[in-house]
Amino acid sequence: MRKLILLIAILVSVTVRSQTDTSVLFLDRLSPEELLQHYINEKEPVSLYKGLNEKAGDSLYNVLNPLTIPTGTVNADALYRPGVDNSDIEGGPEDTTNYADQKLKPKISLGMGRLGYHGDLYTKHFQSPLTARQAFDLNISQRLTRYLQVNFNIMFGKLGANEYLLNRNENFLSEIRAGGVNLMYDFGNFIPDMYKVRPFVSLGVTGFEFLSKTDRMDKDGNVYHYWSDGSIKDKAEGSADAQNAKDLVRDYYYETDIRESNLDGFGKYPERAFAFPIGAGAILKVTDRLDFKFNFQYFFSTTDYLDGVSNKSLGDRVGTKQKDNFTYSSFALQYDLITKPRQKKKLAQDTLNDAFWLAFDKEDRDKDGVPDMNDDCQGTEASVAVDEKGCPLDDDKDGIPNYRDDELATPLGVPVNEKGVGQTDDYWAAWYEQYMNDSTGVGASTEYVGNYFALDKKKTKLGSQKEAFTVELVRYNGSIPSDELAFLLSIGDINSTTLEDGTTVVYTSGSYDKVSTAVKRRDEFRKDGNKNAGVSRIKGKNITQVSDEELAALIKKEDEEFAKLTAANNATSTVTGTNSATTNTASVNTNTTELIVDDVFSKTDVVYRVQLGAFKNKISTSVFNTSAGVLELKTGESIFRYVTKGYKTIEEAAAVRADLVVQGYSDAFVTAYKEGKRVPLNTTKATVDKKYKEDLNEEKIFSSVDKKLVTFKIQLGALKKPILEKMTDEKFKDIKDVEKQTTVSGSIRYSSGSFSGLNAAEKYQKELIDKGFGDAFIIATFRGEIISIQEAMELLK
């Protein structure tokens, strides 16, 4: 029986899989509300326009999309066409199996089949289908939903068995009269209505009556006695007069009532019971009204008296503990009592002549000279020059058409703004300089004293990647040794740069326009014992070491340029007079050194720094939103330490620390370094409370961040097109605490909730997903700015 049920399940699954049309399956099973939501969330198709801002009329998605959102009626009225009367055209199939809203539209079926026995008799306890008895059934079915219907049924038939064993020979024939109800699931939510074959499974309850009789004697009243040689006699084998026994032949007339014979002493047991049928089959659609129905059902009954044998029977008649069950395999014709046959659509005469279609083919609504049929960019503004596809000309291929391009010859590959102007380094430097001027009212400038480079009128713009020279102290591919950490932090103008390989960190000191100044600073480090100090060229984040031969060539070039400048100044002094010559001479004399600004530290200075945190995992320096500048150092045991730049006085460092505390870095503290070592604050000019015990351990992990400023939220979605903002607001209107924020890129971010821990955020995310917001995900914020989940977890440690 288990093998039979498994086989039926496999056949049903294969049938469902083979008939499933994945291209229409998803939309076909959506309700009108779900279909509306699907179109609202549908991704924007690829635009034919390649500019940064689609201001031309060649992308109509944002105009058409709100107009194509479906209404609540799936089967809408047909579009109007001249000469066609829509009232004469039927609006869709009339078959009631195609609709979930069935109301009272029953179907009736009449079938026939065979009842198979499964009980105490036979060695394997079940009957061959070839010896099963005939039965008939009548069904009335009513569809409840698109995939579920209820069936009311009655059945009449006979159930019987004939057993021939060495120790037992039993037979019975029972008249079955049954009636019940079952629910049938036909996979309507998976299989579209277009398919003619639809599998189903069913489950129900049935009440039935049975009248069981057995064939114990022939027509002359002779009782059957079954002998061991297989013959049937009128006397028992081994009886006193067995030699006089006569052969009998069974007449298969079931004359003896099993209950009345009471061979096992069961008495007047009830000849009615309940059964619970499970079934499977398929429905083949023939016409709109007529279906073929193939069905197999297995009935689990509540009685053990169908065959008159049970586990309480006497002697060789004893049976099993199993109830007497039975099967019903049937074929039926199902007829729809209500459905009207489909009416053929009336084909209306086409009133549009060839002249109309010719004009339609040549129509050019944007008047750009390219017919709409061939126009890839319809809606182009008047008088705009277009190519053969009707798209505005774009000579420099920057994505901005010529009529909106302020720079018609942008080099290929250079990013541009919405006006087609290339966003080069000079562009951003000028933008930043203008921003600084607008914000502070002071022009950004660099002051040099006695530096001949200052005489060049071509000033280097702020923000450009100007080449400079620096003193390279050391490179590390891993952690900084503990004994060198204090040495690096005691250098006031120390900088760290991570190279493009992501692992090598270069520590440098200073940034100089003149290579001779960098060489002088290098020599100071070498004199103090740092023999590995060298001069490197720095441009952006690229740092390359300069060889001694190249240094000599660069210094020689500087000397030659300085000599030319001196000669020019001397010639000018001859014309302008003695006073001018004196001034120029002073200027030239000071040209031998570059300005050393006030924040350059000497070897004996105390360097004060503000400690921001030390973490097991790397975090972005942008988390520490401070103008003080942040230095990242990877120390022993892979600890990432973050400190501010160096300060000469405790007052400067304390002011920076106070500003950080106000911003949320409440545990930030000041440390002091001198001559390559960390020194206690009470040995410097700092005023320290006598009760304060400073911890000089540089290996401990800590965070200065106020953990209350770290929050987790659930992002519901990000909207790039403001035209859909109202629809998105409607989508999230039932969610509490929805926050809508416009990002720097112009997108609108929707989020909900605010949690101090990740576990609470994950729980709320699951609730939103269960409500249908499957795109919800967790974001972490610090002081309102988004950070990674890893950084948030690191800050909370």
Side-chain angles (χ1 to χ4, degrees):
M1 190 59 196
R2 293 179 180 175
K3 294 181 180 179
L4 182 60
I5 295 176
L6 180 61
L7 178 61
I8 292 173
I10 294 174
L11 291 176
V12 171
S13 64
V14 170
T15 304
V16 173
R17 180 65 180 174
S18 65
Q19 296 192 81
T20 300
D21 185 356
T22 56
S23 63
V24 299
L25 176 59
F26 176 71
L27 295 180
D28 184 71
R29 71 189 196 198
L30 294 181
S31 67
E33 294 75 13
E34 291 171 335
L35 191 62
L36 172 62
Q37 196 61 48
H38 166 77
Y39 280 104
I40 292 176
N41 296 334
E42 187 177 22
K43 292 183 178 179
E44 178 180 346
V46 177
S47 173
L48 297 175
Y49 181 63
K50 301 180 176 59
L52 296 180
N53 295 280
E54 296 185 351
K55 292 185 177 180
D58 50 9
S59 177
L60 302 179
Y61 172 80
N62 293 329
V63 177
L64 295 180
N65 188 51
L67 304 179
T68 56
I69 295 175
T71 63
T73 56
V74 177
N75 297 293
D77 293 335
L79 296 177
Y80 172 75
R81 189 173 183 182
V84 179
D85 185 2
N86 291 341
S87 62
D88 294 335
I89 300 179
E90 297 298 327
E94 296 287 345
D95 184 9
T96 56
T97 62
N98 291 344
Y99 297 95
D101 183 14
Q102 294 296 311
K103 299 183 181 178
L104 184 58
K105 297 180 179 180
K107 294 184 178 182
I108 187 170
S109 67
L110 181 63
M112 63 178 295
R114 302 183 75 87
L115 285 172
Y117 165 76
H118 188 192
D120 298 284
L121 305 186
Y122 300 117
T123 303
K124 294 184 178 180
H125 306 295
F126 65 86
Q127 182 182 45
S128 170
L130 299 177
T131 60
R133 307 303 175 97
Q134 199 169 43
F136 300 91
D137 68 274
L138 177 66
N139 272 269
I140 297 178
S141 63
Q142 169 65 40
R143 182 167 293 278
L144 303 177
T145 67
R146 189 179 188 85
Y147 52 84
L148 196 65
Q149 67 184 49
V150 61
N151 296 329
F152 301 93
N153 56 78
I154 57 175
M155 180 178 63
F156 303 91
K158 293 183 178 182
L159 180 68
N162 289 280
E163 177 188 56
Y164 299 97
L165 300 177
L166 292 177
N167 64 330
R168 188 175 68 184
N169 293 271
E170 297 291 339
N171 60 77
F172 81 96
L173 182 67
S174 182
E175 293 186 6
I176 303 294
R177 296 181 294 275
V181 62
N182 65 61
L183 285 175
M184 188 177 79
Y185 172 70
D186 62 3
F187 303 92
N189 53 335
F190 290 106
I191 303 178
D193 297 327
M194 66 181 72
Y195 294 103
K196 292 185 177 297
V197 179
R198 185 184 297 273
F200 67 85
V201 293
S202 64
L203 175 66
V205 59
T206 297
F208 69 96
E209 290 183 345
F210 61 94
L211 178 59
S212 299
K213 293 185 177 183
T214 183
D215 182 13
R216 294 193 183 280
M217 59 186 70
D218 62 11
K219 62 181 180 178
D220 298 324
N222 298 313
V223 178
Y224 301 132
H225 293 279
Y226 297 88
W227 285 31
S228 58
D229 61 359
S231 62
I232 305 175
K233 307 288 186 179
D234 61 349
K235 298 181 184 298
E237 186 176 10
S239 63
D241 55 348
Q243 67 276 9
N244 299 322
K246 296 179 181 179
D247 290 332
L248 299 179
V249 178
R250 277 195 60 189
D251 58 4
Y252 292 92
Y253 179 75
Y254 299 85
E255 75 289 331
T256 304
D257 190 300
I258 294 178
R259 186 179 71 169
E260 295 299 329
S261 62
N262 198 20
L263 296 179
D264 299 312
F266 294 150
K268 300 290 185 179
Y269 53 80
E271 292 182 314
R272 54 186 173 275
F274 286 98
F276 302 95
I278 60 171
I283 296 177
L284 173 62
K285 190 171 189 59
V286 180
T287 68
D288 289 343
R289 286 180 176 270
L290 189 64
D291 302 329
F292 285 160
K293 185 176 181 181
F294 304 91
N295 189 19
F296 174 82
Q297 290 178 289
Y298 187 89
F299 290 77
F300 294 91
S301 77
T302 60
T303 182
D304 198 15
Y305 297 121
L306 282 175
D307 52 15
V309 177
S310 74
N311 63 326
K312 297 180 181 180
S313 295
L314 304 177
D316 292 337
R317 288 174 49 79
V318 67
T320 65
K321 294 182 179 180
Q322 178 181 320
K323 302 294 185 181
D324 293 335
N325 302 326
F326 55 94
T327 63
Y328 182 49
S329 305
S330 65
F331 164 82
L333 289 177
Q334 182 172 268
Y335 187 77
D336 195 323
L337 298 175
I338 305 298
T339 296
K340 298 179 181 179
R342 295 184 185 179
Q343 298 179 2
K344 294 184 179 180
K345 295 182 179 181
K346 298 179 181 179
L347 298 178
Q349 183 179 2
D350 195 344
T351 59
L352 304 179
N353 54 28
D354 293 341
F356 170 84
W357 290 115
L358 181 62
F360 179 80
D361 289 343
K362 295 183 177 181
E363 185 176 11
D364 180 15
R365 284 172 290 182
D366 56 6
K367 308 300 181 185
D368 60 359
V370 179
D372 292 345
M373 297 292 289
N374 302 323
D375 198 333
D376 289 348
C377 303
Q378 298 187 25
T380 308
E381 296 180 15
S383 74
V384 173
V386 298
D387 58 17
E388 65 277 4
K389 294 183 178 181
C391 293
L393 296 179
D394 181 15
D395 295 338
D396 54 6
K397 308 301 181 184
D398 60 356
I400 305 298
N402 291 348
Y403 77 96
R404 290 199 291 114
D405 200 334
D406 291 349
E407 184 179 87
L408 295 177
T410 306
L412 190 64
V414 175
V416 298
N417 63 8
E418 63 179 3
K419 295 183 179 181
V421 177
Q423 296 175 320
T424 61
D425 293 341
D426 290 343
Y427 169 87
W428 287 115
W431 177 90
Y432 182 78
E433 184 176 6
Q434 183 62 41
Y435 169 77
M436 293 296 295
N437 289 341
D438 292 343
S439 302
T440 63
V442 179
S445 61
T446 306
E447 182 180 0
Y448 296 89
V449 177
N451 183 355
Y452 68 87
F453 287 106
L455 300 177
D456 188 357
K457 294 183 180 180
K458 296 181 180 179
K459 296 181 180 180
T460 302
K461 294 183 179 180
L462 185 62
S464 64
Q465 291 190 333
K466 186 179 70 172
E467 183 178 84
F469 298 95
T470 185
V471 179
E472 182 177 327
L473 301 176
V474 67
R475 293 187 179 209
Y476 291 112
N477 285 324
S479 303
I480 303 173
S482 300
D483 56 344
E484 294 188 20
L485 175 62
F487 166 72
L488 293 175
L489 291 178
S490 65
I491 300 173
D493 57 351
I494 191 74
N495 293 305
S496 66
T497 304
T498 302
L499 300 185
E500 292 181 354
D501 60 10
T503 58
T504 304
V505 182
V506 182
Y507 294 90
T508 60
S509 177
S511 179
Y512 310 98
D513 290 335
K514 293 178 61 177
V515 67
S516 57
T517 309
V519 171
K520 180 179 179 181
R521 186 74 191 280
R522 178 204 66 181
D523 294 341
E524 292 176 357
F525 278 108
R526 289 183 174 180
K527 183 179 178 181
D528 292 337
N530 190 347
K531 302 300 183 182
N532 295 323
V535 176
S536 294
R537 181 182 284 106
I538 182 170
K539 186 174 183 180
K541 287 191 174 183
N542 295 321
I543 299 178
T544 55
Q545 296 175 332
V546 182
S547 65
D548 291 341
E549 294 78 7
E550 188 177 0
L551 280 177
L554 290 171
I555 292 175
K556 181 179 178 182
K557 182 179 179 181
E558 280 187 5
D559 290 343
E560 291 175 353
E561 292 179 351
F562 181 72
K564 292 179 182 179
L565 183 63
T566 302
N569 286 342
N570 288 336
T572 303
S573 64
T574 304
V575 177
T576 56
T578 305
N579 292 335
S580 296
T582 303
T583 303
N584 289 333
T585 301
S587 176
V588 170
N589 289 339
T590 59
N591 258 335
T592 58
T593 60
E594 188 174 5
L595 173 65
I596 306 299
V597 295
D598 291 340
D599 59 354
V600 174
F601 295 77
S602 67
K603 179 181 178 181
T604 57
D605 285 341
V606 176
V607 179
Y608 297 94
R609 298 183 185 272
V610 182
Q611 300 279 344
L612 300 173
F615 307 94
K616 275 288 186 182
N617 296 298
K618 184 177 181 178
I619 63 175
S620 173
T621 55
S622 61
V623 170
F624 306 101
N625 185 20
T626 173
S627 60
V630 178
L631 182 66
E632 178 186 279
L633 303 100
K634 185 180 180 182
T635 62
E637 300 298 328
S638 297
I639 297 175
F640 293 88
R641 187 173 300 277
Y642 299 87
V643 299
T644 65
K645 72 175 186 177
Y647 298 95
K648 278 190 172 184
T649 65
I650 185 63
E651 289 79 12
E652 291 178 289
V656 171
R657 190 256 177 190
D659 181 61
L660 288 169
V661 170
V662 172
Q663 294 185 49
Y665 309 92
S666 56
D667 291 335
F669 60 92
V670 178
T671 55
Y673 301 86
K674 183 178 181 181
E675 297 180 347
K677 298 179 180 179
R678 180 176 172 181
V679 296
L681 287 174
N682 57 12
T683 63
T684 67
K685 295 181 180 181
T687 303
V688 181
D689 191 337
K690 294 181 179 181
K691 297 180 180 180
Y692 173 69
K693 293 183 179 181
E694 185 176 1
D695 186 359
L696 299 180
N697 180 16
E698 294 278 58
E699 298 294 332
K700 71 175 184 177
I701 296 176
F702 76 96
S703 173
S704 65
V705 172
D706 185 354
K707 295 179 175 56
K708 295 180 181 179
L709 299 178
V710 179
T711 58
F712 297 92
K713 299 181 178 181
I714 309 301
Q715 181 163 321
L716 303 170
L719 186 65
K720 294 183 179 180
K721 299 295 182 180
I723 191 173
L724 299 177
E725 183 176 355
K726 291 184 179 180
M727 297 181 185
T728 309
D729 290 343
E730 181 69 17
K731 175 181 178 181
F732 299 133
K733 68 177 182 178
D734 295 330
I735 302 177
K736 298 185 297 183
D737 304 327
V738 174
E739 180 181 349
K740 188 166 63 173
Q741 179 183 9
T742 302
T743 65
V744 293
S745 64
S747 300
I748 301 176
R749 181 189 298 120
Y750 290 82
S751 62
S752 177
S754 180
F755 306 94
S756 59
L758 183 60
N759 291 337
E762 289 176 341
K763 182 179 179 182
Y764 185 51
Q765 179 196 21
K766 185 178 183 303
E767 293 177 3
L768 291 176
I769 292 176
D770 292 342
K771 291 180 180 179
F773 300 96
D775 295 333
F777 62 92
I778 300 175
I779 58 173
T781 65
F782 176 69
R783 299 177 63 233
E785 298 295 331
I786 293 182
I787 60 176
S788 69
I789 300 294
Q790 179 184 351
E791 289 174 334
M793 299 305 295
E794 195 68 30
L795 294 176
L796 290 175
K797 290 182 179 178

